[in-house]
Amino acid sequence: MGSISSPGEAVARIAYLSSDVIISVQPSHAVNSEFSKYLHSYARNKASGVVAHELPEVQSIRHNADPLLSVFEPIRSGKLVSVTTSSSILLPSIPHLYRLAQFPVVIHVSLQPSSYPDYSEITSIRNSGFTFLQSESLQEAQDIALSAHALAIRSGKGVIHFFDSNNSAEDAAIRYEDKSLVTDILDLETVRGFQASRIGGGSIYVDDGRVAAITEGNLPTLNGNASVNGLTAPSLEKSGSKSSAENSSVGSSRRESSVDSRPTVSSATSVNSTTTRPVTSEDIYNFVTRIWSQLEQTTGRNYKAFEYSGPSTAESALFVFGSDTGLFADEIDAAKATDVFASVGLITARLYRPWLGGKLVSALPKSVKRIAVLEQIRRKTTKWGPLLLDLLTSLKTGTSTSPLIVGHQLGYIEPATVRQALRGIFQNLLSTSPIQNLEIGNPDGPKQSLQDYNLEQPKVESAYMKILNQLFGERLHIANQLSANNAGISATIAANPEYGFGSLIARMEHRKRFIGKVQEAAKTRDFVTDVPQKWLSKWALSAEDPTKVNGLAQEVIARLGTDGSIMASQLLSSKSLFFKESQWLIGSDAWAYDLGNSGIHHVIASGENVNMLIIDSQPYSARAAADATRRKKDIGLYAMNYGNAYVASVAVYSSYTQVLQAMIEADNFDGPSVIVAYLPYHVETDSPLTVLQETKKAVDVGYWPLYRWNPQNEDKGEANFSLDSERIKQELEEFLRRDNHLSQLMKRHPEFSANLSESYGSEVRTLQKRRAKDAYNTLLEGLYGAPMTILFASDNGNAESLAKRLGNRGKARGLKTMVLAMDDYPLEDLPNEENVVLMTSTAGQGEFPQNGRAFWDAVKDSTDLDLSSVNYAVFALGDSHYWPRKEDKIFYNKPGKDLDARIAFLGARSMVDVGMGNDQDPDSYQTGYSEWEPKLWKFLGVDNVEGLPEEPPPITNEDIKIQSNFLRGTIAEGLKDVTTGAISASDQQLTKFHGTYMQDDRDLRDERKAQGLEPAYAFMIRCRLNGGVATANQWLQMDTISSSFGNQTMKLTTRQTFQFHGVVKGKLKPAMRGINKALMTTIAACGDVNRNVMCSALPERSEYHSDVHAISAKISDHLLPSTTAYHEIWLKDEDDKKTQVAGDAIVDNEPLYGPTYLPRKFKITIAIPPHNDTDVYAHDIGLIAIKGSNGRLQGFNVLAGGGMGVTHNNKKTYPRTGSMLGYVVADKVHLACEKIMLVQRDHGDRNNRKHARLKYTIDDMGVDVFRGKVEDLLGEQFEGAKPFTFESNIDTFGWQKDEMGFNHFTFFIENGRIEDTADFPMKTGLREIAKVHKGQFRLTGNQHLVLSGVSDEDLPMIKEMMAKHKLDNVQFSGMRLSSSACVAFPTCGLAMAESERYLPELITKLEGVVEENGLSQDSIVMRMTGCPNGCARPWLAEVGFVGKAYGAYNMYLGGGYHGQRLSKLYRSSIKEEEILGIMKPLLKHYAIEREEGERFGDFVIRTGYIKETKQGKEFHENTAEAESDAEA
């Protein structure tokens, strides 16, 4: 049998059993209250309740977010609601309490601070209309909690159950509540009656006049016999039927009462009248007495409205309203006959409100002549305590028999001093002239009890604080800053807007007086010299101008410091006032609820120059449906409507630059400023990735628009409103229209109106589905034959293509076919279909593809779909090797199998067994499909149709290239189409040759679909940058392009170039032109051509690097495509008629490539030993520079056939390291590269793109045959390879000096992302350095950056700028410095898992182990990609992670530290917990048993963790984790 050890658990269990909805009030989402950890455990384990029809709902609300607002909607909807909270919310919630008192709401209150609670928080709300019950022990907490719920149900009125948890700290554990007893006492018949009612009423702020009432003659019954299930985790166990008298609940005194004041309760009451009347105090007493009688009959535990314990002849009694009842009881029990407090009685109130004076009189022995009242009231508002007044009212009859009542203020009492305290109390009570309000104990309590909670700013919110500090530095003053010393004011009060505003007003008044003092001083002769007077006068004139005064302040302070006069000393004593502060109030979205909104109103209405930063943390995906009833205000709109305030809506994870701009503008604005800042999180410990994804959704759909509003701009002839995001929400649109600014905005931004976000997304989606279906029906009306509806779910296009092909074949056989994505199909039509074919691929871990998930969820959860008249067939596409472990086999084709089973369960008849397409079959999924399709035609009776038309072959990439007119296609026309952000599928293939990919933001796909919007299409632009070298001016141009046209970040790629993301279609041309103006290009940065030629950064040898870099540029230019389409499309003059280069040419010639270019992409890299920082073995051509005896470049060893791209579990694909062809002198190497490329052009596989790279061509031919073909074209043979040595393939960080005396610094740029964050203004810092730098920027193949060519003269300035922007830090772990990741989510369409956004988090979790084992400085090469295309070259890393599904990765070990050896699969499809479980002991083993100088990749091979991979063809052999038995 389970046991309970704390009141919090006892109360939480009862609340969960007795409620439909539990409002769990917590300090923060990440910090539990004493109730919440139990409540969340029950909810997580789906424990059932007693009264809830389904599972009870637990809602977590922060204590400062007006939590009682969340009670109104469910209680009015017929749901029983309870609240678990600390006492800190009670006083701010008084307006709600008066209304909620007339509803059956139960509020369980743990009094705070826990070590010395303040009972004034109870007495202050005693007249709110609630019933108040008090418990004082662990058992009482359980019983009184149950009594509170039963009483609320019977009376229809609110009940507050309050207790001090500390009282029960030493209590023995109790048993779980008796399930049958809970059911009986709660009276389920009355419960169901309430749940069937709907109280209605929408007002929270206006009293709707509801009064709890009773219909006499129809009082609630006492026996509810419904059977229910109790909690399942932990399970509810039955208590014994009765307890002995020793188990009496009066734990505070642990004595039996000698006065039996228990009223007689009849088992039934018969009342003839049926009049309805308000519930009275007597009704409350009768209800609770019956409840307690029922409880006593079962358990033997007895409760009364007033508990008296002690002798029946006692003449003195102690009435305690505080924490120490048990301590007093124990001491009184142990009293000696000679003690002044011997033989006294003890009284406590179990039913505190309604106050029933008559019941108190009957509970007291008539012998009592004196009563000492102890009240633990820390906040007194009257001379006499509230309990003292209650007793005086009840017991003072004006006769001589009335007892003498003496009030005492109960402070904190140590257990050791209880006896002394009692002696003092009764000496005072028994004296001839007792002192009223005598203080007993320490009134201030223990030191640690000053705060209700240890309030602290959530770590995730620190981003905005860091920006404020960066912008304003010493000028920043936050009036309500946490942890500030506020003269004993609690942190809760000090953090609110009213307190902060008041302190700022006082601070401003203080400075005004100081300005006056300075003005007077400037007129006097009280200084030693005249110098201070002049500076003071100048300062006084600019005292309110922050742009001038802060500079003058330093000068004034300096002059006063050297003056030495008394006046100078007096002014310097307040020298901080010489500066004009940037004054801020910081708040949360709790201020957006009405009870917190008054402070905001005061600030705005005051017109004072005060800035407010209000951080809204509600995630878009978790926006509550009930939020409308909580009346959360839009503070930005509220402030704009007021008209006198600067207002901005910002989101640091969307636009860092806009946050900076808004804060600067707010600081400069003369008047109140409000910045509402978005930082969404579910719990305060959420990762930055989660915050980023939530922010993007909210901004994209217009839920959180980015804007700035400056009402003073009108005076300058500028628009008041600036929209900084694409969309705004409807309420903001309406405001702008009212203010007549929307028309101005549309004039300036014609595209604006088309982007206004509406709130009818779901309706739009439904309408779209219906129109699409109806359009199909119209088309099919004229056709004959049986109907066949084909629904597909497809991520990569295979299932969609197959569905469309099946539809065409069906039409050819005379069927009326309709093809739709599953999510585009109106599900309500499914029962009316005759023949339905469902085709789905497999995503993630056996999940449905994106465009089929909503359909599947609806089908899966439907209880009323009748498909008995429907014929159906299912074909599934998957990969049997994708999940090689036995326990994961269920994921193979899981969506198709699940769909087949569910459709059959709903009554449909199968036309053919579910078909399985397997990527591992000889013809991939076509093998299974070719067997399945004929069976379908046979069932439909169309298998023997003659004269079927010949199907056109599918359009391939080769067809697209041939028909493109040398890469033109219809790109120019597609760019002009403003109805979509996309371009056609064929143009998407062609734009790659121009250096740009179309992508969409995958973080936003689902939400945009729900809103009825197309995906958030945008383009990635990649530059062509020979050898990764850019000038400072080019860096500045790239920075501008990223900010003006992209997503305000730059990506340094693993191929040494710039990449921009988030460029929308309308900005593609301007971005391309900007790149061209920087004397750079994007042509051939992607596509089936030779791409950017890489070259080692080599900062320590500038002359040698210059030689090699010149060759990289020569090769790049030599192999550049000749088409003029690039210039025609992207670089036209402003008149859009004349082209810069190609004139009117429409036909081109490609002497090297021909009209079909290459079979696949082609990559060339150069490495300069001893550095293999470009991974020379990983590319189609790898050139190893060979230095001559004169120290300059002599020639190159030539590798060919490297390549990283793989398809998961397709063993016909594999990574490969380059094969050595031989040596070529420097001036002929460009020709050698050309001939290698031409052999690939003519012999590469153009039928199968997965087999089209040079690595397969060489393996199919053999290295010697391939070399011979190259030599035939070259006209000479390769020389034998020259000796060389590689020592690493990572970068050397920090400062280095070259042979010419120039300095070079290698920055650590994690995963190549150049951006500004609140912690690290990297992008800004590099931009400022580029403005003064006279040398180069060199991008490295590991995604880092070299500031190259800094002279000794400029070195101090550069170092100072680097330190200012935190760019000089390279003190990271060796593992982090050696890591690399591709972009992956959210922009890469191929990504299966996170990479760039996740690898830093994973490394952080491993760095503790690295540090513990002394490996923090050891370089271990770790790389991650989101898919097996291998952009970050993970197969060459010592530890590689390759995305398999969201959150799941294949793990590879054994790559060569020098980049010379491939790794091998170690574990498949593992998640973070498994990764950490593998890596931690492996790193420890490496630290202990590695040999001298042994690298990690070599160690795992030597110690048997993994087999060595000697060539690409062996990549899939002898893996550490066996694949499934079937082979490809």
Side-chain angles (χ1 to χ4, degrees), residues 527-537 555-556 558-560 562-563:
F527 299 99
V528 175
T529 69
D530 293 339
V531 174
Q533 293 167 301
K534 295 177 183 177
W535 282 98
L536 288 172
S537 298
E555 295 289 345
V556 172
R559 299 309 190 277
L560 291 174
T562 60
D563 185 76

Side-chain angles (χ1 to χ4, degrees), residues 957-1092:
N957 281 64
E958 296 303 305
D959 297 324
I960 292 171
K961 286 185 281 187
I962 290 172
Q963 297 167 15
S964 72
N965 187 13
F966 294 93
L967 308 182
R968 287 172 177 80
T970 58
I971 296 173
E973 292 79 2
L975 293 174
K976 294 177 182 177
D977 183 0
V978 297
T979 64
T980 176
I983 56 176
S984 69
S986 59
D987 285 342
Q988 289 174 41
Q989 296 301 318
L990 295 175
T991 53
K992 295 178 182 179
F993 292 80
H994 297 259
T996 181
Y997 280 77
M998 191 184 86
Q999 302 174 328
D1000 77 287
D1001 194 323
R1002 296 173 67 179
D1003 286 343
L1004 305 175
R1005 273 186 188 173
D1006 290 343
E1007 192 54 47
R1008 289 181 67 88
K1009 191 169 193 177
Q1011 296 282 332
L1013 302 170
E1014 72 175 7
Y1017 292 120
F1019 291 77
M1020 178 274 285
I1021 299 177
R1022 184 182 297 155
C1023 291
R1024 187 181 180 93
L1025 186 65
N1026 297 332
V1029 175
T1031 65
N1033 185 59
Q1034 286 174 325
W1035 182 275
L1036 289 172
Q1037 293 275 6
M1038 297 301 102
D1039 180 274
T1040 299
I1041 289 166
S1042 68
S1043 298
S1044 302
F1045 306 119
N1047 63 358
Q1048 301 182 41
T1049 74
M1050 288 191 292
K1051 175 78 171 178
L1052 309 185
T1053 75
T1054 54
R1055 303 209 74 252
Q1056 287 185 301
T1057 191
F1058 297 101
Q1059 197 162 282
F1060 306 106
H1061 292 271
V1063 182
V1064 295
K1065 187 168 75 173
K1067 294 182 179 180
L1068 263 180
K1069 272 194 175 183
M1072 294 290 203
R1073 289 172 178 170
I1075 292 169
N1076 184 257
K1077 287 177 182 177
L1079 302 181
M1080 296 167 65
T1081 183
T1082 67
I1083 189 169
C1086 322
D1088 298 342
V1089 287
N1090 176 58
R1091 300 187 177 184
N1092 192 55

Side-chain angles (χ1 to χ4, degrees), residues 1368-1413:
D1368 56 349
N1369 183 19
V1370 291
Q1371 300 305 309
F1372 300 97
S1373 70
M1375 178 180 287
R1376 192 176 294 275
L1377 291 172
S1378 307
S1379 66
S1380 184
C1382 70
V1383 175
F1385 283 104
T1387 52
C1388 179
L1390 300 175
M1392 301 172 180
E1394 293 283 0
S1395 181
E1396 178 189 325
R1397 301 193 296 192
Y1398 173 59
L1399 182 58
E1401 292 183 22
L1402 178 62
I1403 291 176
T1404 298
K1405 293 175 181 179
L1406 289 171
E1407 281 176 326
V1409 183
V1410 168
E1411 180 73 28
E1412 288 172 14
N1413 291 285

